[in-house]
Amino acid sequence: MIDYNLHQHSTFSDGKAEPEAYVKKALELKFRAMGFTEHSPLPFPTTFSLKPENTDAYVRETARLKEQYHGQITLYRALEFDFIPGLSDDFDSWRDKLHLDYAIGSVHLVRPEQSDDLWFIDGPEREKYDDGLRKYFGNDIKKAVKTYYFQINQMIETQQFEIVGHLDKIKMHNAGRYFSEDEKWYRRLVNESLELVREKDLVMEVNTRGLYKKRSDRLFPDDETLKQVKTMQIPVLISSDAHLPEELNMLMDHAEERLVEIGIKAVVFFREGSWEEVPLV
Ligand SMILES: [Zn+2]
Ligand SMILES: [Zn+2]
């Protein structure tokens, strides 16, 4: 059983409970560790990210919890960074300012070429995905998906972070409608990103949220990608991307089973600044 979760959101970003409620739930679940990973501050107003004016309070509250629960559970202060070329701040600037223990790098907002508009590929509304695909890419799904993966690649090449968050989130609202993940062009894009993940020694997140929110019928990333991850010996980490305390361990057992079936024998755990292996069998 996985007894830690390094990806979750509290009311400091778009989570639905105070940070301490997650700690209490984690203790109930007998977790040994947990990381707060609010959505990183962005240079424009959003409904989901940590507000720049709340960053000090985030540091204070996470420091207080680390202190208060010392000896019972290891708590980390981190961020799930959004990378938007030419718009988001360098991950490093916030890492230093907030003394983060680690960072997740994710793409939720795709910036179409030569445009200041952003295509939101996450959230519950499928219409937004469809509208953006039409408006920014003239319904050219290959062009849109390529732009997404190029943005991921640019993030990997230019930013400092440890964990790749939900690598294939782009498939969620596609839901088999515009392309199939078996198509050669798609597999090539994923493989190119995986090469970079390996080169930079990053950890691949296996994220259960799409599945338990019933927005995706598979884990992020899909089985085919996980098989490749195994072959390439890229380390993996299971997380639930919780936005509620009850979601802290959701479908983690399922993810563990999938990994074992695929032949991945261990996940990694973050301890004192480095990664150690946790066997799955
Ligand atoms: Zn995310
Ligand atoms: Zn998240």
Side-chain angles (χ1 to χ4, degrees):
M1 197 193 82
I2 306 289
D3 60 356
Y4 55 93
N5 187 359
L6 302 184
H7 187 168
Q8 63 176 65
H9 302 269
S10 79
T11 42
F12 274 104
S13 59
D14 61 346
K16 303 290 182 280
E18 301 290 327
E20 194 159 8
Y22 292 84
V23 182
K24 288 181 175 158
K25 182 68 190 180
L27 288 172
E28 211 180 289
L29 293 168
K30 300 193 169 28
F31 273 15
R32 60 171 145 161
M34 191 177 73
F36 291 102
T37 54
E38 309 303 343
H39 289 287
S40 60
L42 286 168
F44 48 84
T46 76
T47 54
F48 63 88
S49 51
L50 174 62
K51 293 186 174 46
E53 64 269 27
N54 289 342
T55 52
D56 286 350
Y58 181 51
V59 171
R60 272 199 309 274
E61 179 60 0
T62 43
R64 182 187 76 81
L65 293 170
K66 279 181 182 216
E67 170 87 27
Q68 185 171 331
Y69 291 94
H70 180 78
Q72 295 181 65
I73 185 168
T74 303
L75 297 174
Y76 297 112
R77 178 192 310 130
L79 285 176
E80 180 185 16
F81 281 95
D82 242 292
F83 175 71
I84 313 169
L87 279 179
S88 52
D89 298 324
D90 249 11
F91 294 4
D92 260 353
S93 64
W94 287 110
R95 290 187 70 133
D96 292 349
K97 235 181 277 178
L98 309 189
H99 305 286
L100 301 184
D101 295 306
Y102 64 86
I104 301 174
S106 299
V107 170
H108 310 92
L109 293 154
V110 179
R111 186 173 187 180
E113 238 176 82
Q114 282 145 9
S115 168
D116 286 338
D117 283 333
L118 297 171
W119 179 35
F120 185 52
I121 59 145
D122 202 356
E125 297 160 76
R126 189 147 288 173
E127 303 78 49
K128 275 196 182 165
Y129 183 92
D130 293 351
D131 286 351
L133 179 62
R134 191 169 49 243
K135 196 168 153 199
Y136 306 126
F137 301 96
N139 265 343
D140 184 342
I141 190 67
K142 272 195 202 178
K143 193 174 170 191
V145 173
K146 256 187 206 169
T147 308
Y148 169 81
Y149 278 106
F150 285 179
Q151 200 166 309
I152 297 257
N153 295 352
Q154 202 180 341
M155 171 174 79
I156 296 172
E157 282 172 325
T158 63
Q159 303 298 312
Q160 292 299 320
F161 62 104
E162 284 79 10
I163 304 165
V164 184
H166 47 65
L167 176 79
D168 62 352
K169 183 123 229 181
I170 192 74
K171 75 172 181 215
M172 184 171 84
H173 286 312
N174 171 61
R177 297 176 303 151
Y178 299 101
F179 69 96
S180 143
E181 287 142 70
D182 311 330
E183 289 173 41
K184 273 205 182 106
W185 65 270
Y186 181 77
R187 301 284 11 135
R188 201 160 45 230
L189 286 176
V190 173
N191 286 342
E192 278 167 15
S193 293
L194 290 181
E195 286 293 346
L196 289 175
V197 170
R198 181 171 58 178
E199 242 171 63
K200 297 279 182 184
D201 286 326
L202 300 176
V203 171
M204 176 66 63
E205 175 194 54
V206 178
N207 181 311
T208 62
R209 183 164 179 79
L211 205 52
Y212 68 75
K213 290 296 285 180
K214 300 195 171 29
R215 291 179 196 159
S216 170
D217 57 0
R218 269 163 290 174
L219 295 166
F220 304 119
D222 65 64
D223 283 5
E224 199 46 46
T225 304
L226 287 173
K227 283 179 196 161
Q228 197 63 26
V229 160
K230 175 192 179 295
T231 310
M232 293 169 81
Q233 297 182 305
I234 293 169
V236 301
L237 171 77
I238 297 173
S239 76
S240 76
D241 200 351
H243 287 59
L244 279 168
E246 324 53 299
E247 292 172 352
L248 268 180
N249 64 342
M250 262 193 186
L251 293 187
M252 280 194 170
D253 289 350
H254 169 77
E256 204 177 325
E257 277 167 30
R258 285 307 297 132
L259 291 184
V260 171
E261 276 166 31
I262 286 165
I264 294 176
K265 294 190 169 61
V267 289
V268 290
F269 176 64
F270 188 70
R271 188 198 294 273
E272 287 164 17
S274 60
W275 295 100
E276 63 179 35
E277 281 208 344
V278 179
L280 287 178
V281 279

